[in-house]
Amino acid sequence: MIIAVDGPAASGKGTLASGLARHYRLPYLDTGLLYRAVGRAVEAYEDSEQFEERAIAAALTLDEGDIDPEFLLSAKIGTLASKVAVIGAVRRALFDYQRDFATQDNGAVLDGRDIGTTICPEADVKLFIQADSKARMERRARQLEARGQAVDRYALYHQIEERDARDMANPNGGFYKANDAHLLDTTLLDIEAALRAAIAIVDGTMARKAEASL
Ligand code: C5P
């Protein structure tokens, strides 16, 4: 079974996707980390003419060792990730890695922005997670604080809005809800309630598919 989980920054998709992976005993890939690793690799070139070329080179040579969440979860790296994510050649370079992960035996759970639309259009279950901007900011602030980082909530709110705007305008992205994705709004849900709702959607979808194939 392949489960695709998409949604905007700090919507709770990572927590839900990893919870689903544990529940169904499936391997899990946070695809945002790939873009973050490329963004981190070109941090020194952010304002340089070489930014694009360096980002493509970093995406082509990315390996497991670069994908360490410990160094990738800051808001600054999130912004850099969204800047490299608009480069078509970067997206193409990261495509095969994501595709291979998704199509391994027994299935997988992937979360990101374009999983249900581009990486795994054939996924068995697609979820699109949303939450309002203030709730997303507060969640991300608490995550960062739990990691010992000081947070300016006003600046973080604007960073999230700015990243959303860049993501929505991404000419090379597929950052929209796939037609066959289930919408789950987590604004008013805590983690447990959101996970229960997601599991109910996955179980219901798989049961309907099994029935239809009889
Ligand atoms: O999900 P996360 O916030 O870690 O993603 C960081 C950035 O990486 C996003 O804002 C987006 O620009 C990019 N991204 C992407 N496609 C994905 C996952 C993330 O373009 N599948």
Side-chain angles (χ1 to χ4, degrees):
M1 170 169 71
I2 301 176
I3 305 177
V5 183
D6 288 306
S11 55
K13 63 184 185 311
T15 309
L16 277 180
S18 58
L20 287 171
R22 270 195 307 279
H23 182 80
Y24 294 105
R25 296 177 200 279
L26 292 169
Y28 164 56
L29 179 65
D30 170 355
T31 64
L33 289 179
L34 307 179
Y35 290 91
R36 284 172 179 266
V38 175
R40 178 168 184 251
V42 294
E43 192 170 2
Y45 299 95
E46 192 175 2
D47 300 315
S48 137
E49 280 180 3
Q50 292 176 38
F51 184 74
E52 184 164 329
E53 171 196 325
R54 295 271 174 174
I56 296 167
L60 287 167
T61 54
L62 197 69
D63 68 40
E64 301 273 336
D66 301 318
I67 310 170
D68 183 347
E70 185 64 31
F71 303 108
L72 299 175
L73 295 180
S74 70
K76 166 85 182 137
I77 299 290
T79 298
L80 278 160
S82 70
K83 290 185 178 174
V84 301
V86 299
I87 305 168
V90 167
R91 304 197 75 78
R92 285 190 291 282
L94 299 180
F95 180 87
D96 288 345
Y97 184 92
Q98 297 173 80
R99 197 58 215 161
D100 289 348
F101 192 93
T103 54
Q104 62 189 291
D105 291 348
N106 303 325
V109 182
L110 289 84
D111 84 57
R113 299 292 190 294
D114 58 348
I115 309 302
T117 52
T118 307
I119 305 296
C120 279
E122 83 285 24
D124 297 287
V125 189
K126 300 179 187 178
L127 291 164
F128 191 88
I129 313 301
Q130 70 179 23
D132 77 28
S133 305
K134 247 175 109 187
R136 293 191 284 129
M137 180 279 288
E138 190 53 39
R139 283 179 195 158
R140 183 51 52 91
R142 289 184 188 177
Q143 266 173 6
L144 294 171
E145 283 169 349
R147 303 179 75 85
Q149 296 184 26
V151 176
D152 171 344
R153 281 173 163 67
Y154 182 79
L156 182 62
Y157 183 81
H158 285 285
Q159 262 163 353
I160 288 179
E161 293 260 291
E162 185 206 336
R163 188 141 71 90
D164 280 352
R166 190 177 300 111
D167 283 347
M168 296 312 289
N170 187 337
N172 295 305
F175 295 4
Y176 50 86
K177 178 183 160 303
N179 286 337
D180 52 349
H182 300 264
L183 185 66
L184 178 56
D185 191 316
T186 65
T187 307
L188 300 174
L189 302 178
D190 62 20
I191 292 169
E192 288 77 23
L195 184 58
R196 276 198 303 276
I199 290 170
I201 291 171
V202 174
D203 287 348
T205 307
M206 294 309 284
R208 277 192 298 282
K209 284 195 174 188
E211 217 168 275
S213 69
L214 286 179

